Amino acid sequence: MIIIHATFHVRQENRDLFQTESVPLITGSRMESGNIRYTLYEDPSDRNSFILVEEWKDEKAVQRHRQSAQVTAFMARADLLFDRPTAISCYSARKLPSE
């Protein structure tokens, strides 16, 4: 399993636009083959900071996702939406057996 954390810091004046633009990104990504989870969280201490937590079956699913129409469209608006570069961390994980 591949886990991705993408941290966004949104321009205050475009916060509503970010939330609107994120809906098709999230909806489309959740429907992709190999997606396990795709959830956007708001930082309660900074209303313009968000983290997108993604879980994917494998690297092939991640590569398809990065080339998807919804990711391409969303990232094309990055300069308008964000006031600093997006921080992305990727992790490889395996599910442990239950006790």
Side-chain angles (χ1 to χ4, degrees), residues 76-90:
R77 312 261 328 211
D79 288 341
L80 177 65
L81 297 173
F82 309 127
D83 61 6
R84 54 185 86 147
T86 300
I88 299 175
S89 300
C90 299

Side-chain angles (χ1 to χ4, degrees), residues 21-32 35 38 70:
E21 294 285 330
S22 66
V23 171
L25 171 69
I26 293 166
T27 303
S29 298
R30 287 178 176 168
M31 294 184 337
E32 287 182 51
N35 179 259
Y38 205 88
Q70 67 268 10

Side-chain angles (χ1 to χ4, degrees), residues 59 67 93:
E59 187 61 35
Q67 296 173 10

Side-chain angles (χ1 to χ4, degrees), residues 55-84:
E55 294 178 21
W56 297 93
K57 178 182 174 186
D58 54 30
E59 187 61 35
K60 287 181 184 180
V62 172
Q63 292 305 320
R64 283 191 307 268
H65 171 66
R66 287 181 179 158
Q67 296 173 10
S68 68
Q70 67 268 10
V71 170
T72 304
F74 184 78
M75 293 314 295
R77 312 261 328 211
D79 288 341
L80 177 65
L81 297 173
F82 309 127
D83 61 6
R84 54 185 86 147

Side-chain angles (χ1 to χ4, degrees), residues 31-62:
M31 294 184 337
E32 287 182 51
S33 174
N35 179 259
I36 299 168
R37 184 180 321 259
Y38 205 88
T39 308
L40 181 67
Y41 299 96
E42 179 181 350
D43 183 338
S45 64
D46 179 356
R47 68 182 305 259
N48 294 317
S49 184
F50 296 82
I51 186 167
L52 183 61
V53 178
E54 309 174 31
E55 294 178 21
W56 297 93
K57 178 182 174 186
D58 54 30
E59 187 61 35
K60 287 181 184 180
V62 172

